[in-house]
Amino acid sequence: YATYVEDFEDMELTATGATSAQGKFTNWTLVGSAKVVECGTANAGAGAQACGMIRSSELINDALPWAVNGLTYTFYNPTTSTATIRTYYRTNGSTLWTIMPTDTGLESVSVAGGSASDIAFNMELAEGTQVRIVEYTGHRTNLCYLDDITLFTAVEEVPQPGDFNADGTVDVSDVTILLNALLNDTTTAAMDLDGDGKVDVSDVTVLINFVLG
């Protein structure tokens, strides 16, 4: 998987209610009292900035530019009140938000005062999806911190040239497959190892030389 992390370190500090705040992989809308703040050591992540939130604050991304296979974030609550976090999503074009359960099936996550929680989701999200993170309950004036929002996207594996049986190695078994394909006239474009536009004995030679090192 490829990972994309919003740690808020490169974002400009915002006032509450900012819209289209430019992040690393999307723009963000900060609803209610949510704002990008300097937080020093009182931080969920490793940096000096985070999204500060109090009760009823929300953070919403613009439509994602690619499909997502998983999502995590860290929520730190330095206050004396327990905070409850809910996460929602909606697909491109929808006006309705749907609750996103965590990887353990929770619809809400409670984070006690003076503690942090790493919250993970295994749900696949289509390109164009928006995610909405809400501090549903919590302290009314003292900030909690949302940080290190991490998205995981699938990366298509590129097969190794000559690995015709897809076992992760190029060896004599692949030579046999290529020879049989030539004899039975069942070659494919992937078998054109010398790039001359056709599959013939020269490709067998290329493969044998590779196997022999």
Side-chain angles (χ1 to χ4, degrees):
Y1 292 95
T3 59
Y4 299 87
V5 181
E6 180 58 80
D7 57 10
F8 301 97
E9 297 305 308
D10 297 329
M11 292 182 64
E12 295 183 3
L13 302 182
T14 68
T16 58
T19 59
S20 298
Q22 184 174 356
K24 289 190 174 180
F25 55 79
T26 186
N27 290 341
W28 300 94
T29 295
L30 299 101
V31 180
S33 296
K35 55 186 175 180
V36 177
V37 295
E38 291 181 338
C39 47
T41 57
N43 193 358
Q49 295 185 183
C51 177
M53 307 178 78
I54 62 173
R55 181 175 181 172
S56 300
S57 298
E58 304 180 11
L59 181 70
I60 304 172
N61 67 278
D62 283 0
L64 293 174
W66 12 249
V68 170
N69 293 78
L71 163 71
T72 65
Y73 60 81
T74 300
F75 190 89
Y76 175 50
N77 178 7
T79 76
T80 57
S81 301
T82 296
T84 302
I85 314 305
R86 292 181 179 175
T87 306
Y88 302 83
Y89 72 97
R90 66 181 177 189
T91 55
N92 190 21
S94 175
T95 58
L96 300 177
W97 291 100
T98 302
I99 194 75
M100 185 189 306
T102 69
D103 58 357
T104 58
L106 298 176
E107 294 188 352
S108 298
V109 177
S110 294
V111 182
S115 67
S117 180
D118 294 321
I119 304 171
F121 306 84
N122 291 330
M123 178 176 290
E124 294 186 2
L125 303 174
E127 178 182 346
T129 298
Q130 289 181 281
V131 175
R132 174 184 172 210
I133 302 171
V134 182
E135 183 177 341
Y136 189 71
T137 66
H139 205 281
R140 293 182 180 273
T141 56
N142 294 342
L143 291 174
C144 294
Y145 300 103
L146 171 65
D147 207 357
D148 292 344
I149 302 170
T150 304
L151 305 183
F152 302 89
T153 64
V155 177
E156 183 178 353
E157 294 186 5
V158 179
Q160 183 178 2
D163 182 17
F164 300 127
N165 61 1
D167 65 353
T169 60
V170 178
D171 53 25
V172 66
S173 62
D174 299 296
V175 176
T176 301
I177 291 172
L178 179 56
L179 286 170
N180 287 336
L182 278 168
L183 292 172
N184 296 306
D185 196 25
T186 56
T187 59
T188 66
M191 294 177 174
D192 178 19
L193 299 177
D194 61 4
D196 65 354
K198 58 183 182 294
V199 180
D200 54 23
V201 69
S202 65
D203 298 294
V204 178
T205 301
V206 169
L207 188 57
I208 290 174
N209 289 338
F210 181 86
V211 170
L212 294 177

Coordinates of all heavy atoms in Angstrom, one line a residue, residues 120-181:
A120 N -8.6 3.3 13.9 CA -8.3 2.7 12.6 C -9.6 2.3 12.0 O -10.6 1.8 12.7 CB -7.4 1.6 12.7
F121 N -9.7 2.3 10.6 CA -10.8 1.9 9.9 C -10.3 1.1 8.7 O -9.4 1.5 8.0 CB -11.6 3.1 9.3 CG -12.0 4.1 10.4 CD1 -11.1 5.1 10.8 CD2 -13.2 4.0 11.0 CE1 -11.5 6.0 11.8 CE2 -13.6 4.9 12.0 CZ -12.7 5.9 12.4
N122 N -10.9 -0.1 8.4 CA -10.6 -0.9 7.3 C -11.5 -0.8 6.1 O -11.3 -1.5 5.1 CB -10.6 -2.4 7.8 CG -9.4 -2.7 8.7 OD1 -8.4 -2.1 8.7 ND2 -9.7 -3.6 9.6
M123 N -12.4 0.1 6.2 CA -13.4 0.2 5.1 C -12.8 0.8 3.8 O -11.9 1.7 3.9 CB -14.5 1.2 5.5 CG -15.6 1.4 4.5 SD -16.9 2.5 5.1 CE -17.7 1.3 6.2
E124 N -13.2 0.2 2.7 CA -12.7 0.7 1.4 C -13.6 1.9 1.0 O -14.8 1.8 1.1 CB -12.8 -0.4 0.3 CG -11.8 -1.5 0.6 CD -11.8 -2.5 -0.6 OE1 -12.5 -2.3 -1.6 OE2 -11.0 -3.5 -0.4
L125 N -13.0 3.0 0.6 CA -13.7 4.2 0.2 C -13.4 4.5 -1.3 O -12.2 4.5 -1.7 CB -13.3 5.4 1.0 CG -13.5 5.2 2.6 CD1 -12.9 6.4 3.3 CD2 -14.9 5.0 2.9
A126 N -14.4 4.8 -2.1 CA -14.2 5.0 -3.5 C -13.6 6.4 -3.7 O -13.7 7.3 -2.9 CB -15.6 4.9 -4.2
E127 N -13.1 6.6 -4.9 CA -12.6 7.9 -5.3 C -13.7 8.9 -5.2 O -14.9 8.6 -5.6 CB -12.1 7.8 -6.8 CG -11.6 9.1 -7.3 CD -11.1 9.0 -8.8 OE1 -10.9 7.8 -9.2 OE2 -11.0 10.0 -9.4
G128 N -13.4 10.1 -4.8 CA -14.5 11.1 -4.6 C -15.2 11.1 -3.3 O -16.0 12.0 -3.0
T129 N -14.8 10.2 -2.4 CA -15.4 10.1 -1.1 C -15.0 11.3 -0.2 O -13.8 11.7 -0.2 CB -15.1 8.8 -0.4 OG1 -15.7 7.7 -1.2 CG2 -15.7 8.7 1.0
Q130 N -15.9 11.7 0.7 CA -15.5 12.7 1.7 C -15.6 12.0 3.1 O -16.4 11.1 3.3 CB -16.4 13.9 1.7 CG -16.3 14.8 0.6 CD -17.2 16.0 0.7 OE1 -18.4 15.9 0.3 NE2 -16.7 17.1 1.1
V131 N -14.7 12.4 4.0 CA -14.7 11.8 5.3 C -14.9 13.0 6.3 O -14.3 14.1 6.1 CB -13.3 11.1 5.7 CG1 -13.3 10.7 7.1 CG2 -13.1 9.9 4.7
R132 N -15.7 12.7 7.3 CA -16.0 13.8 8.3 C -15.7 13.2 9.7 O -16.3 12.2 10.1 CB -17.5 14.1 8.2 CG -18.1 15.0 9.2 CD -19.6 15.1 8.9 NE -20.3 15.8 10.0 CZ -21.6 15.6 10.3 NH1 -22.3 14.6 9.6 NH2 -22.2 16.3 11.2
I133 N -14.8 13.9 10.4 CA -14.5 13.5 11.8 C -15.0 14.5 12.8 O -14.8 15.7 12.6 CB -12.9 13.4 11.9 CG1 -12.3 12.4 10.9 CG2 -12.5 13.0 13.3 CD1 -10.8 12.4 10.8
V134 N -15.8 14.0 13.7 CA -16.6 14.9 14.6 C -16.2 14.6 16.1 O -16.2 13.4 16.5 CB -18.1 14.7 14.4 CG1 -18.9 15.6 15.4 CG2 -18.5 14.9 13.0
E135 N -15.9 15.7 16.8 CA -15.8 15.5 18.3 C -17.2 15.7 18.8 O -17.7 16.8 19.0 CB -14.8 16.5 18.9 CG -14.7 16.3 20.4 CD -13.7 17.2 21.1 OE1 -12.8 17.8 20.4 OE2 -13.8 17.4 22.3
Y136 N -17.9 14.6 19.0 CA -19.3 14.6 19.3 C -19.6 15.1 20.7 O -20.5 15.9 20.9 CB -19.9 13.2 19.1 CG -21.4 13.2 19.1 CD1 -22.2 13.7 18.1 CD2 -22.0 12.5 20.2 CE1 -23.5 13.6 18.1 CE2 -23.4 12.5 20.2 CZ -24.2 13.0 19.2 OH -25.5 12.9 19.2
T137 N -18.8 14.7 21.6 CA -18.9 15.2 23.0 C -17.5 15.5 23.5 O -16.5 14.9 23.0 CB -19.6 14.2 24.0 OG1 -18.8 13.1 24.1 CG2 -21.0 13.8 23.5
G138 N -17.4 16.3 24.5 CA -16.1 16.7 25.0 C -16.1 18.0 25.7 O -17.2 18.6 26.0
H139 N -14.9 18.5 26.0 CA -14.9 19.8 26.7 C -15.4 21.0 25.8 O -15.1 21.0 24.6 CB -13.4 20.1 27.2 CG -13.3 21.0 28.3 ND1 -13.4 22.4 28.2 CD2 -13.1 20.7 29.7 CE1 -13.3 22.9 29.4 NE2 -13.1 21.9 30.3
R140 N -16.0 21.9 26.4 CA -16.6 23.0 25.6 C -15.6 24.1 25.3 O -15.9 24.9 24.4 CB -17.8 23.6 26.4 CG -19.0 22.6 26.6 CD -20.1 23.3 27.3 NE -21.3 22.4 27.5 CZ -22.2 22.3 26.6 NH1 -22.2 22.9 25.4 NH2 -23.2 21.4 26.8
T141 N -14.5 24.2 26.0 CA -13.6 25.3 25.8 C -12.1 24.8 25.5 O -11.4 25.5 24.8 CB -13.6 26.3 26.9 OG1 -13.3 25.6 28.1 CG2 -15.0 27.0 27.0
N142 N -11.7 23.8 26.2 CA -10.3 23.3 26.1 C -10.1 22.4 24.9 O -10.9 21.4 24.7 CB -9.9 22.7 27.4 CG -9.8 23.6 28.5 OD1 -9.8 24.9 28.3 ND2 -9.8 23.1 29.8
L143 N -9.1 22.6 24.2 CA -8.9 21.8 22.9 C -8.4 20.4 23.1 O -7.6 20.1 24.0 CB -7.8 22.6 22.0 CG -8.2 23.9 21.4 CD1 -7.0 24.5 20.7 CD2 -9.4 23.7 20.5
C144 N -8.9 19.5 22.3 CA -8.3 18.2 22.0 C -7.6 18.4 20.6 O -7.8 19.3 19.9 CB -9.4 17.1 21.9 SG -10.2 16.8 23.5
Y145 N -6.8 17.3 20.3 CA -6.0 17.4 19.1 C -6.1 16.2 18.2 O -5.9 15.1 18.6 CB -4.5 17.6 19.4 CG -4.3 18.9 20.2 CD1 -4.1 18.8 21.6 CD2 -4.3 20.2 19.6 CE1 -3.9 20.0 22.4 CE2 -4.1 21.3 20.4 CZ -3.9 21.2 21.7 OH -3.8 22.4 22.5
L146 N -6.5 16.5 17.0 CA -6.6 15.4 15.9 C -5.4 15.5 15.0 O -5.0 16.6 14.6 CB -7.9 15.7 15.1 CG -8.1 14.8 13.9 CD1 -8.2 13.4 14.2 CD2 -9.3 15.3 13.1
D147 N -4.7 14.4 14.8 CA -3.4 14.5 14.0 C -3.2 13.2 13.3 O -3.8 12.2 13.5 CB -2.3 14.8 15.0 CG -1.1 15.5 14.3 OD1 -1.2 15.7 13.1 OD2 -0.2 15.9 15.0
D148 N -2.2 13.3 12.4 CA -1.7 12.2 11.6 C -2.8 11.3 11.0 O -2.8 10.1 11.1 CB -0.8 11.3 12.5 CG 0.5 12.0 12.9 OD1 0.8 13.0 12.3 OD2 1.2 11.5 13.8
I149 N -3.6 12.0 10.2 CA -4.6 11.3 9.4 C -3.9 10.6 8.3 O -3.4 11.2 7.4 CB -5.7 12.3 8.9 CG1 -6.3 13.1 10.1 CG2 -6.8 11.6 8.1 CD1 -7.2 14.2 9.6
T150 N -4.0 9.3 8.3 CA -3.3 8.5 7.3 C -4.2 7.7 6.4 O -5.1 6.9 7.0 CB -2.3 7.5 8.0 OG1 -1.5 8.3 8.9 CG2 -1.5 6.7 7.1
L151 N -4.1 7.8 5.1 CA -4.9 7.0 4.2 C -4.0 6.0 3.5 O -2.8 6.3 3.2 CB -5.5 8.0 3.1 CG -6.3 9.1 3.6 CD1 -6.9 9.9 2.4 CD2 -7.4 8.7 4.5
F152 N -4.5 4.8 3.3 CA -3.8 3.7 2.6 C -4.5 3.5 1.3 O -5.7 3.2 1.2 CB -3.8 2.5 3.5 CG -3.2 2.7 4.8 CD1 -4.0 3.1 5.9 CD2 -1.9 2.5 5.1 CE1 -3.5 3.3 7.2 CE2 -1.3 2.7 6.3 CZ -2.1 3.1 7.4
T153 N -3.7 3.5 0.2 CA -4.2 3.2 -1.1 C -3.5 2.0 -1.7 O -2.3 1.8 -1.5 CB -4.1 4.4 -2.1 OG1 -2.7 4.7 -2.3 CG2 -4.8 5.6 -1.5
A154 N -4.2 1.1 -2.4 CA -3.6 0.0 -3.0 C -2.7 0.4 -4.2 O -3.0 1.3 -5.0 CB -4.7 -1.0 -3.6
V155 N -1.6 -0.3 -4.3 CA -0.6 0.0 -5.4 C -0.6 -1.3 -6.2 O -0.3 -2.4 -5.7 CB 0.8 0.3 -4.9 CG1 1.7 0.5 -6.0 CG2 0.7 1.6 -4.0
E156 N -0.8 -1.2 -7.5 CA -0.8 -2.3 -8.4 C 0.6 -2.8 -8.5 O 1.6 -2.1 -8.8 CB -1.3 -2.0 -9.8 CG -1.4 -3.1 -10.7 CD -2.0 -2.8 -12.1 OE1 -2.4 -1.6 -12.2 OE2 -2.0 -3.6 -13.0
E157 N 0.8 -4.1 -8.2 CA 2.1 -4.7 -8.3 C 2.5 -4.9 -9.8 O 1.7 -5.5 -10.5 CB 2.2 -6.0 -7.5 CG 2.0 -5.9 -6.0 CD 2.2 -7.2 -5.3 OE1 2.6 -8.2 -6.0 OE2 2.0 -7.2 -4.1
V158 N 3.7 -4.5 -10.1 CA 4.2 -4.7 -11.5 C 4.9 -6.1 -11.5 O 5.9 -6.2 -10.8 CB 5.1 -3.6 -11.9 CG1 5.6 -3.8 -13.3 CG2 4.3 -2.3 -11.9
P159 N 4.5 -7.0 -12.3 CA 5.1 -8.3 -12.4 C 6.6 -8.2 -12.9 O 6.8 -7.4 -13.8 CB 4.3 -9.2 -13.3 CG 3.5 -8.2 -14.1 CD 3.3 -7.0 -13.3
Q160 N 7.5 -9.0 -12.4 CA 8.8 -9.0 -12.9 C 8.9 -9.6 -14.3 O 8.3 -10.7 -14.6 CB 9.7 -9.9 -12.0 CG 11.2 -9.9 -12.4 CD 12.0 -10.7 -11.4 OE1 11.5 -11.2 -10.4 NE2 13.3 -10.7 -11.6
P161 N 9.5 -9.0 -15.3 CA 9.6 -9.5 -16.6 C 10.2 -10.9 -16.6 O 11.2 -11.2 -16.0 CB 10.6 -8.6 -17.3 CG 10.4 -7.3 -16.6 CD 10.2 -7.7 -15.2
G162 N 9.5 -11.9 -17.3 CA 10.0 -13.2 -17.4 C 9.4 -14.1 -16.3 O 9.6 -15.4 -16.4
D163 N 8.7 -13.6 -15.3 CA 8.1 -14.4 -14.3 C 6.8 -14.9 -14.7 O 5.7 -14.4 -14.2 CB 8.1 -13.6 -13.0 CG 7.5 -14.5 -11.8 OD1 7.5 -15.7 -11.9 OD2 7.1 -13.9 -10.8
F164 N 6.7 -15.8 -15.6 CA 5.5 -16.2 -16.3 C 4.5 -17.0 -15.4 O 3.3 -17.0 -15.7 CB 5.7 -16.9 -17.6 CG 6.6 -16.1 -18.6 CD1 7.7 -16.6 -19.1 CD2 6.2 -14.8 -18.9 CE1 8.5 -15.8 -20.0 CE2 6.9 -14.0 -19.8 CZ 8.1 -14.6 -20.4
N165 N 5.0 -17.6 -14.4 CA 4.1 -18.4 -13.5 C 3.8 -17.6 -12.2 O 3.2 -18.1 -11.3 CB 4.7 -19.7 -13.1 CG 6.1 -19.6 -12.5 OD1 6.6 -18.5 -12.2 ND2 6.7 -20.8 -12.2
A166 N 4.3 -16.3 -12.2 CA 4.0 -15.4 -11.1 C 4.3 -15.9 -9.7 O 3.6 -15.7 -8.7 CB 2.6 -14.9 -11.1
D167 N 5.5 -16.6 -9.6 CA 5.9 -17.2 -8.3 C 6.9 -16.3 -7.6 O 7.4 -16.6 -6.5 CB 6.4 -18.6 -8.4 CG 7.7 -18.7 -9.2 OD1 8.1 -17.7 -9.8 OD2 8.3 -19.8 -9.3
G168 N 7.2 -15.2 -8.2 CA 8.1 -14.2 -7.6 C 9.6 -14.4 -8.0 O 10.4 -13.6 -7.6
T169 N 9.9 -15.4 -8.7 CA 11.3 -15.7 -9.2 C 11.2 -16.0 -10.7 O 10.2 -16.5 -11.2 CB 11.9 -16.8 -8.5 OG1 11.2 -18.0 -8.7 CG2 12.0 -16.5 -7.0
V170 N 12.3 -15.7 -11.3 CA 12.5 -16.0 -12.8 C 13.5 -17.2 -12.8 O 14.7 -17.0 -12.4 CB 13.0 -14.8 -13.6 CG1 13.2 -15.2 -15.0 CG2 12.0 -13.7 -13.5
D171 N 13.1 -18.4 -13.2 CA 13.9 -19.5 -13.2 C 13.6 -20.4 -14.4 O 12.9 -20.0 -15.3 CB 13.8 -20.3 -11.9 CG 12.4 -20.6 -11.5 OD1 11.6 -20.7 -12.4 OD2 12.1 -20.8 -10.3
V172 N 14.1 -21.7 -14.4 CA 14.0 -22.6 -15.5 C 12.5 -22.9 -15.8 O 12.2 -23.2 -16.9 CB 14.8 -23.9 -15.2 CG1 14.2 -24.7 -14.0 CG2 14.9 -24.8 -16.5
S173 N 11.7 -22.9 -14.8 CA 10.2 -23.1 -15.0 C 9.6 -22.1 -15.9 O 8.7 -22.4 -16.8 CB 9.5 -23.2 -13.7 OG 9.5 -22.0 -13.0
D174 N 10.1 -20.9 -15.9 CA 9.6 -19.8 -16.7 C 10.1 -20.0 -18.2 O 9.4 -19.7 -19.2 CB 10.0 -18.4 -16.2 CG 9.4 -18.2 -14.8 OD1 8.2 -18.1 -14.7 OD2 10.2 -18.0 -13.9
V175 N 11.3 -20.5 -18.3 CA 11.9 -20.9 -19.6 C 11.0 -22.0 -20.3 O 10.7 -21.9 -21.4 CB 13.3 -21.4 -19.5 CG1 13.9 -21.8 -20.9 CG2 14.2 -20.3 -18.9
T176 N 10.6 -23.0 -19.5 CA 9.8 -24.0 -20.0 C 8.4 -23.5 -20.5 O 7.9 -23.8 -21.5 CB 9.5 -25.1 -18.9 OG1 10.8 -25.6 -18.5 CG2 8.6 -26.2 -19.4
I177 N 7.9 -22.5 -19.7 CA 6.6 -21.9 -20.1 C 6.7 -21.2 -21.4 O 5.8 -21.3 -22.3 CB 6.1 -21.0 -19.0 CG1 5.7 -21.8 -17.7 CG2 4.9 -20.1 -19.4 CD1 5.4 -20.9 -16.5
L178 N 7.8 -20.4 -21.6 CA 8.0 -19.7 -22.8 C 8.2 -20.6 -24.0 O 7.6 -20.4 -25.0 CB 9.2 -18.8 -22.6 CG 9.6 -17.9 -23.8 CD1 8.4 -17.1 -24.3 CD2 10.8 -17.0 -23.5
L179 N 9.0 -21.7 -23.8 CA 9.2 -22.6 -24.9 C 7.9 -23.3 -25.3 O 7.6 -23.4 -26.5 CB 10.2 -23.7 -24.5 CG 11.7 -23.3 -24.4 CD1 12.5 -24.3 -23.7 CD2 12.2 -23.0 -25.8
N180 N 7.1 -23.7 -24.3 CA 5.8 -24.3 -24.6 C 4.9 -23.4 -25.3 O 4.1 -23.8 -26.3 CB 5.1 -24.8 -23.4 CG 5.8 -26.1 -22.8 OD1 6.5 -26.8 -23.5 ND2 5.7 -26.3 -21.5
A181 N 4.9 -22.1 -24.9 CA 4.1 -21.1 -25.6 C 4.5 -20.9 -27.1 O 3.6 -20.8 -27.9 CB 4.1 -19.8 -24.8

